[in-house]
Amino acid sequence: MKLESVEVKNFRALNDLYKDKKVNIHEDITLLVGKNNVGKTSFTHIFHLFLNEGKFDFEDFSLNTHKKFKKVFKDYCELNNVNEEFLEKEENHFPVIQLKLSIKYNEQDNWSKISPLITSLQVNDSIEILFSYEPKNEPMLLENLRALYEEDSTFNVIDWLQKNISDHYTHLITPYSGGEYSEKIDISTVKKVIHIHHIMAQRSLEDGHSQSNSKLSPVFRKEYKIRKSSEANYQQDALNSNVLALETAITNRNKEIDTELEGFFEEFINSFSTFGFPNVEGANLTLKSHIEATDVFKGIQFFYKSNEHLLPEKYNGLGFSNLIYIISDLLSFKNRADIKAAELNLIFIEEPEAHMHPQLQSVFIKKLNSFLSNNSINAQVIISTHSSSIVSSSKFQNIKYFSKTRNEVIVKDLARFKIQLEGESKDVKENQIFKFLEQYITLVNCEMFFADKIIMIEGSVERLLMPIFIKKVDKTIIDTKKLSEQYISVIEVGGAYMHRFKEFLEFIGVKTLIITDIDCCEPQHSEKANRKVNVKHEVIEEKAHELVTTNPVLKFWIPEKEVIKELLEITFNLDEKSNFNITYQNIVSISGVDKSKCGRSFEEAFIIENAEFLLKNSTKLDSIKNKIKDYKNEVELILDSYEIYDFIDRNDKKTDFAFDLMINEEDWVVPAYIKEGLKWLAK
């Protein structure tokens, strides 16, 4: 039996993960990723509330339901005559919180356990279970609320529900199969089929200074109780023989301690007798040890051996302590699952990366499947994480990306993205896009899953200087949140491959700025290795209509234009509401000369707009000081901007040039095309 998909309605930020917005669950590991406060924890917590009969609060209803509560209440109070037809309409009911599980079963599953969930004789291999938190008696609830309103016209239904909803709402469970719902069933029936276990994020592990008990103590105490409770049914089981051996050892030790206690406390006992205690004739006072197995586990601590010395757990790293805790909890879950013999086991692990360094995080997720298999733990695992290391070491199609727009959470399924991409593409090259994205995101960079916004750049120079660009542009931002206060993921990828991210970025919907180069050349050179063109004023004026770009992003994504003249005529729109925008070099007027200039690359655009800075600081710029030392004024330098850029490029000095600018960051300005792009992104 396997859980195939989950639908959630009206729970916290998960207002409508319902119908076509279902979350598919994989047979092995499902990964929930996304920024903070996008519903990942809520998604796992709703299982606990329904399957462990937890207590819902009114605050668990999504904010969007408040309008519905108010409307239904208002409409009911305005009725002249209360009639049954009011509640026959779906829109006249109070909101309910729902969790729907779609499950596949087969002939190997225990029919006696799952048969109460089968609602039709029609041959089928799937069932659905609908969990609801809904009114116990909605007509009576509405009538009571109406009476309260008639007594006090200022009555606020939301305030009242916040205090009293638990008295009027209840848990209900309804199976569904073969096209029809059945009668309500009890949670005990469901628990015979489904068993869940949560391993919460370990935010309070030992910090190395406390002398308190090990974090493993409660795990081992729980494990002992499980084995102890099963002793009567599993006398021959090796696990339970260990329980008996432990208890025998403790009993024997208690006897040994009793003998020592008699001598240790003899003076105390004699003193008690002096005052006539105990006062029952023939009674003697004695002391006995009463150590139980649970007492042993309370004081247990984890040690590890180093150079023949035993070191306590507090000397171990917090990351390893967390890893050991998760492994121990999984093994303990195995025994609980075996005892309960559930058909469907679900393990939820929240932020397993806590305290782990990136390499340990990668090892954990890579080894998890084999660990479960080797220990016969038959379960589907759902992990919520903020770790790019865990994501990069996981299967790409197992990722469920949680994002939020206003009060609505949207879950993007990377498995669906793959199907969508392959289904739409007829070209063999285009069918390689998913493979490229999978390799890039899992091997190079997957931070975009956790970013507020994304900046895509072509080279290392822009990547090195981006923090300075942002700092300088932030000083000019007044009416919007500064970029430095947002989580920006900077993705470096070559211009030849940048357009391959088009479908993926559109799929996840994160606001993205692409900073690229205009890359112009003459058409006859567009396919040649050396296709640079010195874009001087006369070329712009006379040949712009003949020049083309070699940049695939400009040609095939935004703005889907190839002719340089058309690209230069496009004005960057700061007010554009699209999630995607692109910026590249454009024409810049040369002060003091009746000419204009367009840089072909970042370096050339920087030279054109920072000629004064370059001349004043020429001796400090080791990468180009020998090239620019003979220029007499700014105009000369600007007119030769291409030659200076070409010198940097031919001599592999791009990174050196970036370092020079980093060291001398005070006086130069951010090229205009980058500045206006970053201002757009900040909005």
Side-chain angles (χ1 to χ4, degrees):
M1 178 174 279
K2 296 293 181 183
L3 176 61
E4 285 205 314
S5 65
V6 178
E7 301 171 38
V8 180
K9 186 175 184 180
N10 294 333
F11 183 63
R12 299 179 186 171
L14 307 178
N15 181 54
D16 195 21
L17 294 185
Y18 212 61
K19 297 179 181 176
D20 60 329
K21 296 182 181 179
K22 66 177 62 175
V23 179
N24 292 324
I25 306 299
H26 294 270
E27 288 192 1
D28 48 5
I29 296 174
T30 301
L31 221 58
L32 314 180
V33 307
K35 299 180 295 183
N36 287 317
N37 299 320
V38 292
K40 301 187 301 296
T41 300
S42 296
F43 182 82
T44 62
H45 192 54
I46 194 171
F47 282 81
H48 166 73
L49 288 171
F50 273 123
L51 278 93
N52 291 334
E53 296 183 286
K55 180 180 179 295
F56 282 92
D57 296 316
F58 183 75
E59 287 72 22
D60 289 320
F61 283 87
S62 62
L63 293 176
N64 290 347
T65 64
H66 289 200
K67 292 181 181 178
K68 181 73 177 292
F69 276 112
K70 292 177 181 177
K71 184 179 186 307
V72 172
F73 168 68
K74 178 176 179 292
D75 290 348
Y76 188 83
C77 290
E78 290 177 352
L79 290 174
N80 292 325
N81 296 306
V82 177
N83 55 72
E84 295 180 358
E85 294 180 0
F86 180 80
L87 288 176
E88 290 178 359
K89 297 179 180 178
E90 184 178 349
E91 64 270 19
N92 290 337
H93 287 275
F94 272 158
V96 299
I97 294 175
Q98 291 183 334
L99 169 69
K100 183 190 286 186
L101 307 182
S102 297
I103 300 169
K104 283 280 186 182
Y105 64 90
N106 55 47
E107 60 274 9
Q108 280 78 43
D109 293 313
N110 189 322
W111 182 256
S112 65
K113 291 182 180 179
I114 66 174
S115 57
L117 306 177
I118 308 299
T119 62
S120 172
L121 296 177
Q122 179 180 345
V123 178
N124 206 332
D125 62 351
S126 64
I127 54 176
E128 291 180 345
I129 304 176
L130 180 64
F131 300 84
S132 295
Y133 185 62
E134 59 184 71
K136 298 175 184 177
N137 186 328
E138 193 169 18
M140 182 180 294
L141 173 60
L142 285 167
E143 192 57 37
N144 289 342
L145 291 173
R146 178 173 177 161
L148 291 170
Y149 174 72
E150 289 175 349
E151 290 178 10
D152 181 4
S153 60
T154 64
F155 174 76
N156 188 306
V157 66
I158 299 298
D159 291 344
W160 188 89
L161 288 169
Q162 286 175 331
K163 299 174 183 176
N164 300 285
I165 196 164
S166 60
D167 295 328
H168 299 274
Y169 266 61
T170 188
H171 294 238
L172 293 175
I173 308 170
T174 313
Y176 175 90
S177 67
E180 58 186 45
Y181 284 99
S182 74
E183 297 296 323
K184 303 292 188 289
I185 60 173
D186 189 77
I187 188 64
S188 60
T189 303
V190 176
K191 286 187 174 182
K192 291 177 182 177
V193 178
I194 304 174
H195 182 54
I196 65 168
H197 180 59
H198 283 80
I199 302 178
M200 308 304 291
Q202 301 306 304
R203 298 184 175 91
S204 58
L205 288 169
E206 282 290 346
D207 61 4
H209 301 288
S210 173
Q211 298 298 319
S212 62
N213 294 333
S214 165
K215 191 72 177 178
L216 293 175
S217 294
V219 176
F220 291 148
R221 290 202 306 272
K222 190 186 299 180
E223 177 67 10
Y224 167 75
K225 291 177 181 178
I226 292 169
R227 296 188 187 186
K228 177 66 176 173
S229 65
S230 65
E231 184 180 345
N233 298 322
Y234 296 90
Q235 286 290 346
Q236 303 304 316
D237 191 283
L239 296 178
N240 294 287
S241 66
N242 289 339
V243 171
L244 295 174
L246 176 63
E247 292 183 339
T248 301
I250 292 173
T251 300
N252 292 336
R253 189 57 182 153
N254 274 328
K255 292 177 181 178
E256 295 173 6
I257 294 174
D258 289 346
T259 302
E260 301 297 331
L261 284 174
E262 287 182 9
F264 190 82
F265 288 105
E266 183 178 2
E267 181 183 1
F268 291 83
I269 295 171
N270 292 336
S271 297
F272 298 155
S273 300
T274 302
F275 292 90
F277 180 80
N279 60 356
V280 179
E281 185 176 351
N284 293 314
L285 185 66
T286 186
L287 291 175
K288 292 184 70 64
S289 170
H290 191 64
I291 298 174
E292 296 182 343
T294 52
D295 299 319
V296 174
F297 288 118
K298 284 179 183 177
I300 197 170
Q301 289 195 40
F302 175 74
F303 283 76
Y304 67 99
K305 197 170 185 179
S306 176
N307 298 326
E308 303 304 319
H309 295 287
L310 289 176
L311 299 175
E313 182 180 352
K314 68 179 182 177
Y315 288 94
N316 201 23
L318 293 180
F320 282 107
S321 294
N322 185 31
L323 179 62
I324 291 168
Y325 172 80
I326 293 173
I327 292 171
S328 301
D329 208 337
L330 287 171
L331 289 172
S332 181
F333 164 81
K334 166 192 171 181
N335 296 324
R336 292 197 296 277
D338 286 347
I339 293 164
K340 296 189 177 183
E343 300 299 306
L344 174 60
N345 295 307
L346 303 174
I347 299 175
F348 296 88
I349 306 179
E350 181 185 8
E351 298 177 23
E353 66 270 15
H355 308 290
M356 294 186 194
H357 62 76
Q359 187 176 10
L360 186 57
Q361 295 171 24
S362 298
V363 171
F364 166 77
I365 197 68
K366 288 177 181 177
K367 298 292 186 181
L368 182 57
N369 264 332
S370 59
F371 171 80
L372 296 173
S373 176
N374 293 339
N375 287 278
S376 302
I377 301 176
N378 181 24
Q380 291 172 265
V381 181
I382 300 172
I383 298 175
S384 61
T385 181
H386 297 112
S387 166
S388 56
S389 296
I390 286 179
V391 173
S392 65
S393 301
S394 304
K395 295 178 183 177
F396 189 62
Q397 60 267 31
N398 286 23
I399 297 171
K400 313 301 168 188
Y401 172 66
F402 280 60
S403 62
K404 193 173 184 180
T405 57
R406 297 181 182 175
N407 293 325
E408 181 182 22
V409 170
I410 299 173
V411 180
K412 305 293 183 70
D413 190 329
L414 273 295
R416 289 183 192 168
F417 170 66
K418 180 182 180 181
I419 295 170
Q420 172 185 317
L421 193 64
E422 292 176 346
E424 291 178 353
S425 176
K426 306 298 182 184
D427 191 286
V428 176
K429 289 183 179 180
E430 292 300 315
N431 277 324
Q432 299 299 313
I433 290 179
F434 184 84
K435 185 177 180 180
F436 164 77
L437 289 170
E438 182 178 26
Q439 290 180 330
Y440 182 89
I441 292 170
T442 57
L443 297 178
V444 182
N445 194 316
C446 60
E447 290 185 356
M448 61 187 77
F449 287 117
F450 310 102
D452 295 323
K453 295 170 182 177
I454 295 172
I455 300 174
M456 297 197 74
I457 56 174
E458 285 195 29
S460 59
V461 174
E462 291 93 328
R463 174 175 54 81
L464 290 169
L465 294 175
M466 189 55 64
I468 301 176
F469 293 159
I470 289 174
K471 182 168 66 174
K472 288 177 176 286
V473 171
D474 270 353
K475 293 178 181 178
T476 68
I477 294 175
I478 299 174
D479 55 343
T480 58
K481 191 175 183 180
K482 296 183 184 300
L483 285 167
S484 58
E485 297 171 359
Q486 305 177 54
Y487 180 45
I488 310 294
S489 179
V490 180
I491 308 298
E492 179 185 347
V493 59
Y497 292 92
M498 194 178 284
H499 67 292
R500 292 178 178 266
F501 285 83
K502 175 181 184 291
E503 290 83 2
F504 175 71
L505 290 172
E506 289 175 345
F507 183 79
I508 66 174
V510 179
K511 189 172 185 178
T512 302
L513 172 68
I514 302 166
I515 300 176
T516 191
D517 294 331
I518 197 167
D519 288 339
C520 61
C521 75
E522 295 175 341
Q524 63 269 30
H525 299 307
S526 62
E527 302 300 325
K528 295 181 179 180
N530 185 12
R531 50 197 183 188
K532 298 175 184 177
V533 172
N534 188 346
V535 191
K536 291 184 177 180
H537 170 72
E538 57 270 19
V539 175
I540 294 292
E541 294 294 325
E542 300 171 12
K543 300 180 68 175
H545 62 286
E546 299 175 9
L547 299 175
V548 295
T549 181
T550 60
N551 191 325
V553 180
L554 298 175
K555 290 196 294 184
F556 305 126
W557 186 1
I558 307 172
E560 291 188 301
K561 295 186 182 298
E562 185 175 11
V563 179
I564 294 297
K565 186 176 187 299
E566 294 178 352
L567 289 170
L568 294 176
E569 288 174 348
I570 296 173
T571 302
F572 191 94
N573 185 2
L574 288 176
D575 298 324
E576 187 176 354
K577 294 181 180 179
S578 169
N579 255 2
F580 306 96
N581 214 334
I582 192 165
T583 187
Y584 49 87
Q585 298 83 17
N586 212 309
I587 296 173
V588 176
S589 298
I590 302 175
S591 179
V593 184
D594 187 22
K595 289 188 176 182
S596 58
K597 197 79 182 285
C598 176
R600 184 184 184 279
S601 66
F602 161 75
E603 290 81 5
E604 189 177 4
F606 184 92
I607 292 166
I608 293 169
E609 297 185 49
N610 287 279
E612 182 181 359
F613 161 79
L614 295 174
L615 289 177
K616 286 183 179 179
N617 295 275
S618 60
T619 58
K620 300 178 183 179
L621 307 174
D622 293 339
S623 59
I624 59 171
K625 63 182 180 182
N626 292 328
K627 178 66 178 176
I628 65 174
K629 63 182 180 180
D630 295 328
Y631 286 100
K632 297 182 178 60
N633 56 58
E634 298 170 27
V635 174
E636 284 185 6
L637 189 144
I638 292 172
L639 292 176
D640 276 354
S641 61
Y642 177 80
E643 284 74 15
I644 299 170
Y645 154 70
D646 192 46
F647 169 83
I648 295 171
D649 189 35
R650 282 186 294 102
N651 292 279
D652 295 324
K653 290 182 175 290
K654 285 191 173 186
T655 303
D656 294 339
F657 183 65
F659 284 133
D660 282 341
L661 300 185
M662 290 170 66
I663 295 170
N664 303 279
E665 66 171 279
E666 291 80 11
D667 299 325
W668 53 265
V669 298
V670 180
Y673 75 101
I674 295 178
K675 181 189 293 185
E676 61 185 5
L678 292 177
K679 283 186 173 181
W680 170 84
L681 189 67
K683 293 188 175 183

